[in-house]
Amino acid sequence: MDQTALLGILARLCARPNETATVEFKSNLANPAEIGEYVAALANSAALDGRDRAWLVWGVENGTHEVKGTVFDPFSAKGEGNQSLVMWLQQRTAPRADFTFHVAGHAIGPVVMMEIHPARSAPVAFQNVRYIRIDSHKTKLSDHPDKEARLWAALGQKDDWTGELVPGGALDDLDPSAIEMARRRFTEYLVKSEPDEGRHDQIRSDAAGWDPATLLNKAHLTKQGRITRSALLLLGKDESAHFLSPADTKISWVLRDAQNRAISSQHFGIPLLLSTDQVFARIRNVTIEHMPDGTLFPTALPQYDRWVIREALHNCVAHQDYRLGGKINVVEHPDRLVFSNLGQFIPPSVEWMLEHQSPPEHYRNQWLIDGMIRLRMIDQIGSGIRRMFETQRDRFFPLPDYTIDSTDNGRPRVELAVAGQILDIKYTQVLMKRSDLDLRQVLLLDRVQKRRELSREDARELKSLKLIEGRAPNHFISAKVADWTGEKARYIHNRGLDDGYYRKLVTDYLHKYGQATRKDVDDLLISKMPDVLDAAQKAHKVRNLLQAMRREGEIYREGPKATAVWRRGEAKPTTA
């Protein structure tokens, strides 16, 4: 956008009598977290109000709307962990916010204008919290359920695609074998829901006598005998898939080797009630051995928990956005299973689901989910994700990993990876059994074990509990956890040795050999530095150490910088 256009937009924004839900003026706001909250609030407000964009403007006085100029520079600003602000904001908004920074060269001084596009597929959350603007005030969206409902409707999520009737669809378009499977599953659901065991036999008898139309009406798959898209998805004949076009109603199973090469694959179409069982049968759930109690005799168990596989697969079916035209994928690697489906993750975050243990107020495919509950494909709405995490924890396996991102063409996508191998068993044995750690804390420590970055708030919480040490992004388990798990050696190596140790290595080397090049010093020190530091950080630490020793007169550098050598003794005139 050229300067003339920017200055014209700035003039129109400043001419408004008051700030609005889609315009916010700041002088020199630099707090990255507060900027992130504004991005989410303004993107959601723009969608709710039907605006094509919102603006966060630096360099304009809030009350008078007078241009003052700003010293804020978004292109050099940093988020947490010294990451660029732009990348940091994008990685902490979900779905990723669409914004652009502009700098208007005003006569008074530079004005930074952040152009924020409205939310599209789902409300934007910053660090797992969704925000909205009430007049000119930023607040949590969850505190305003009326606005949240209107926002979802504005985003096109009000209508349930899976609950719509199929023109021309009939009972003859459904697979008889799938209908009989549905009868058995729905009967199980009814019996399980009836606490009076004396009525169970009557329930079974009644269900066995229902004709298909009555059965499917009661199971919430049809509406007054008319076929819904849910009925076709779960029970339809393969040749009836054309009724659902352009939706791709297949599940693809792919087997890959350790080099990520495809070894085998197969595609499964509707009826998904039967196809999910067929996909489950293709997964090679081999038996492995481990020693969860530290005994001499290993315990045999399947590589993956059967319930976790089914829950992950059925979640893909339940939450796929079929309007996007993509299929469900199940990729089997030697050490993990990866499930993926298209569609925005509806809850604010996975952490929100683990904490609240309740379903969100809105689902994309409500009619389909209701039917899957009655067919016992989903045990209890809202509890599946937490149970998957608890099951993996109880098996002493790494916790599930969710990745919420977009495909190359911008379609929202959810990926779930389920590990089929154990982390350090000593760590896992004790840590997963600690009664003083809740599931959320276990999740955070699982991230530390996997070398994943923690937010500042999460890191502060774990440090307050003396569970981790180190600086972002190189956190590692603390002495307390190391004591629990017998990982003291790894803890010492991650923490590293004090500078006195490294200084002595350098001076001993110079005493023996007289001089050292920078490469000599690198070879001497870098291999002894903590594993949590990357190559650049190790090199930076060596450089700082040498400069500190030079300033204190322990060593000096001799010769041109490119070929210089270090020697023992008082500082020389040579510059560092």
Side-chain angles (χ1 to χ4, degrees):
M1 190 178 300
D2 62 35
Q3 287 294 306
T4 301
L6 282 174
L7 292 172
I9 293 171
L10 177 61
R12 290 193 293 273
L13 296 179
C14 292
R16 298 185 179 191
N18 299 297
E19 285 185 329
T20 67
T22 55
V23 178
E24 174 68 23
F25 296 117
K26 293 294 181 184
S27 295
N28 294 295
L29 173 66
N31 184 294
E34 192 172 353
I35 294 172
E37 292 175 4
Y38 274 113
V39 169
L42 289 164
N44 292 334
S45 296
L48 183 61
D49 292 354
R51 305 287 184 178
D52 62 354
R53 69 199 66 192
W55 296 93
L56 179 56
V57 182
W58 284 260
V60 176
E61 193 172 71
N62 186 16
T64 64
H65 297 185
E66 182 180 350
V67 174
K68 297 291 189 179
T70 183
V71 297
F72 174 70
D73 180 2
F75 305 109
S76 63
K78 303 293 184 182
E80 296 176 6
N82 207 36
Q83 189 177 26
S84 74
L85 178 64
V86 173
M87 184 64 69
W88 187 83
L89 289 172
Q90 289 186 335
Q91 291 181 352
R92 283 159 180 76
T93 51
R96 288 194 177 183
D98 184 2
F99 60 83
T100 305
F101 281 105
H102 306 282
V103 178
H106 195 276
I108 302 298
V111 175
V112 174
M113 302 173 64
M114 188 180 194
E115 179 183 10
I116 303 169
H117 292 275
R120 292 189 175 91
S121 58
V124 174
F126 172 72
Q127 292 188 336
N128 305 324
V129 179
R130 290 167 175 154
Y131 294 90
I132 194 71
R133 298 263 290 178
I134 306 297
D135 294 327
S136 61
H137 303 288
K138 168 171 56 70
T139 183
K140 292 181 179 180
L141 180 60
S142 59
D143 293 339
H144 303 273
D146 56 330
K147 290 187 178 293
E148 184 170 14
R150 289 200 295 114
L151 178 55
W152 279 110
L155 295 172
Q157 297 289 346
K158 183 177 181 180
D159 298 329
D160 182 358
W161 182 89
T162 65
E164 294 180 6
L165 299 176
V166 178
L171 288 175
D172 289 342
D173 296 307
L174 306 183
D175 186 296
S177 297
I179 292 176
E180 287 310 307
M181 174 65 78
R183 186 186 302 275
R184 292 195 295 273
R185 296 276 188 88
F186 185 49
T187 301
E188 292 173 5
Y189 168 81
L190 293 174
V191 169
K192 185 178 179 181
S193 302
E194 176 52 64
D196 184 357
E197 294 185 6
R199 298 197 64 249
H200 289 179
D201 288 343
Q202 184 61 49
I203 290 173
R204 294 188 181 96
S205 176
D206 290 344
W210 292 331
D211 60 29
T214 302
L215 167 69
L216 300 180
N217 277 340
K218 289 181 176 291
H220 285 206
L221 294 172
T222 56
K223 296 180 178 180
Q224 296 180 332
R226 292 178 292 176
I227 303 299
T228 64
R229 286 173 172 152
S230 291
L232 274 182
L233 285 169
L234 297 177
L235 310 178
K237 296 176 180 176
D238 187 52
E239 58 266 29
S240 301
H242 65 90
F243 283 114
L244 299 173
S245 180
D248 188 346
T249 57
K250 292 188 291 294
I251 303 174
S252 293
W253 167 83
V254 180
L255 175 65
R256 295 188 179 274
D257 64 13
Q259 287 72 44
N260 205 34
R261 295 174 299 199
I263 304 300
S264 182
S265 64
Q266 188 171 350
H267 307 287
F268 303 86
I270 60 174
L272 296 182
L273 177 63
L274 303 182
S275 295
T276 51
D277 282 345
Q278 295 166 356
V279 174
F280 179 85
R282 290 306 310 264
I283 295 173
R284 304 173 307 161
N285 195 8
V286 300
T287 299
I288 60 175
E289 294 182 340
H290 76 145
M291 295 176 282
D293 299 318
T295 67
L296 296 176
F297 302 99
T299 299
L301 80 166
Q303 188 176 16
Y304 304 102
D305 181 84
R306 295 167 63 89
W307 182 89
V308 169
I309 295 176
R310 292 186 184 277
E311 179 69 12
L313 184 55
H314 290 159
N315 275 351
C316 288
V317 173
H319 302 299
Q320 169 88 337
D321 191 340
Y322 294 94
R323 301 168 301 175
L324 298 180
K327 63 181 182 296
I328 294 167
N329 289 310
V330 179
V331 182
E332 183 177 353
H333 298 269
D335 60 344
R336 67 192 185 282
L337 292 174
V338 179
F339 304 83
S340 64
N341 65 275
L342 294 184
Q344 181 59 48
F345 192 75
I346 298 296
S349 66
V350 174
E351 291 79 6
W352 185 93
M353 292 292 292
L354 295 176
E355 179 180 353
H356 287 77
Q357 303 186 55
S358 62
E361 288 74 15
H362 169 84
Y363 275 111
R364 176 185 300 109
N365 303 325
Q366 190 65 61
W367 190 262
L368 174 62
I369 290 172
D370 287 346
M372 292 179 69
I373 291 172
R374 286 164 172 76
L375 299 186
R376 301 201 65 193
M377 299 177 75
I378 299 176
D379 282 348
Q380 184 177 356
I381 190 167
S383 65
I385 289 179
R386 184 179 180 89
R387 183 175 166 185
M388 281 197 292
F389 275 75
E390 290 175 338
T391 300
Q392 287 292 97
R393 178 190 64 184
D394 294 343
R395 282 163 53 87
F396 314 120
F397 276 59
L399 300 183
D401 279 325
Y402 275 89
T403 302
I404 301 171
D405 58 10
S406 300
T407 62
D408 291 340
N409 57 6
R411 293 175 178 174
R413 177 176 178 270
V414 178
E415 178 183 286
L416 167 64
V418 179
Q421 67 179 15
I422 299 170
L423 289 172
D424 187 325
I425 186 60
K426 292 180 181 178
Y427 178 91
T428 308
Q429 283 172 350
V430 181
L431 186 60
M432 295 301 185
K433 286 185 175 180
R434 291 291 301 190
S435 60
D436 60 335
L437 298 179
D438 59 31
L439 183 58
R440 179 178 173 277
Q441 293 165 338
V442 172
L443 172 64
L444 297 178
L445 284 170
D446 184 69
R447 289 179 181 171
V448 174
Q449 280 289 95
K450 294 172 181 174
R451 304 292 179 88
R452 305 278 172 78
E453 184 178 355
L454 298 176
S455 71
R456 178 179 297 177
E457 292 75 16
D458 291 338
R460 186 181 299 117
E461 176 184 349
L462 293 187
K463 283 189 175 182
S464 70
L465 296 171
K466 303 188 184 303
L467 296 175
I468 64 170
E469 296 183 30
R471 293 183 177 181
N474 300 311
H475 295 113
F476 54 90
I477 58 172
S478 72
K480 179 179 179 181
V481 180
D483 286 340
W484 293 346
T485 62
E487 290 194 352
K488 291 182 180 179
R490 178 179 173 185
Y491 162 73
I492 293 294
H493 194 65
N494 277 337
R495 184 190 65 189
L497 301 159
D498 60 39
D499 284 353
Y501 171 80
Y502 298 122
R503 287 179 179 229
K504 188 173 188 307
L505 288 178
V506 173
T507 55
D508 286 352
Y509 185 97
L510 294 178
H511 177 75
K512 182 175 183 179
Y513 296 105
Q515 65 181 37
T517 65
R518 174 58 191 268
K519 182 179 183 305
D520 293 332
V521 177
D522 287 346
D523 292 343
L524 176 68
L525 299 182
I526 284 179
S527 63
K528 300 174 179 63
M529 289 186 172
D531 288 341
V532 293
L533 300 180
D534 60 27
Q537 291 169 324
K538 290 179 179 180
H540 185 70
K541 184 174 179 63
V542 172
R543 182 170 61 253
N544 288 345
L545 181 77
L546 291 175
Q547 298 303 330
M549 294 178 69
R550 179 186 63 80
R551 287 192 298 269
E552 295 172 18
E554 293 185 67
I555 61 175
Y556 68 94
R557 195 176 70 191
E558 183 178 83
K561 187 173 183 179
T563 58
V565 295
W566 292 93
R567 300 182 184 276
R568 292 183 66 189
E570 294 296 328
K572 300 293 182 180
T574 304
T575 57

